[in-house]
Amino acid sequence: MSMLSVPFEQKLCPPEQLAERLVALPRPLVFTNGCFDILHRGHVTYLAQARSLGAGMIVALNTDASVRRQGKGDDRPINALEQRAAVIASLESVSLVTWFDSDTPYELILAARPDILVKGGDWAVDKIVGAKEVMGWGGAVHSIPFLHQTSTTRTLEKIRSATC
């Protein structure tokens, strides 16, 4: 069975291709990262807000091994990287999706040299990985407050506690 190629899959970018793909992205360029395991309203609202700060946006996803090291649970991520990347790439707010296997996206941030670095409101600006470097080259760093109190962990707890 052959897979039909869909346009959003063109947004998928292995880390080793990031340098060549960056030249086509509009500036100012926003960079954010996360697991984005089970996409919910909080995620898509956050991503739309982050994207509104610039003209293009890179989303860097933790690989499955990187997610497991975060201690979110033995069965996390629920969705494998390939699935998470495709879902994130399908969002209008996202220009490019890449991934990292380390515990932080530090190397990708240095490679992408974004104009704007963004994380969710649970991160203080001075604790955001790469903040010092982005501000050092004249960029901005934002911690965006959550508008919707949703979380994948809480969703999974609700599912697991449901009785059949």
Side-chain angles (χ1 to χ4, degrees), residues 53-77:
L53 297 171
M57 183 168 71
I58 297 172
V59 177
L61 299 177
N62 297 73
T63 62
D64 297 349
S66 178
V67 172
R68 283 191 288 276
R69 289 193 303 272
Q70 291 186 354
K72 292 178 180 253
D74 293 341
D75 61 349
R76 300 285 299 279

Side-chain angles (χ1 to χ4, degrees), residues 41-57:
R41 185 178 187 184
H43 288 141
V44 296
T45 300
Y46 163 76
L47 290 169
Q49 290 176 296
R51 169 60 178 74
S52 74
L53 297 171
M57 183 168 71

Side-chain angles (χ1 to χ4, degrees), residues 5-15 17-18 21 25 51 57-61 85-99:
S5 179
V6 288
F8 70 77
E9 289 184 349
Q10 295 171 7
K11 296 180 187 179
L12 301 174
C13 177
Q17 293 177 13
L18 186 59
R21 301 277 303 271
L25 295 181
R51 169 60 178 74
M57 183 168 71
I58 297 172
V59 177
L61 299 177
V87 170
I88 292 293
S90 74
L91 299 175
E92 183 180 351
S93 60
V94 177
S95 305
L96 202 65
V97 179
T98 192
W99 46 90

Side-chain angles (χ1 to χ4, degrees), residues 132-152:
K132 183 178 78 164
E133 290 76 7
V134 171
M135 288 188 280
W137 60 61
V141 181
H142 298 272
S143 177
I144 297 178
F146 296 122
L147 292 182
H148 304 285
Q149 297 307 311
T150 53
S151 93
T152 300

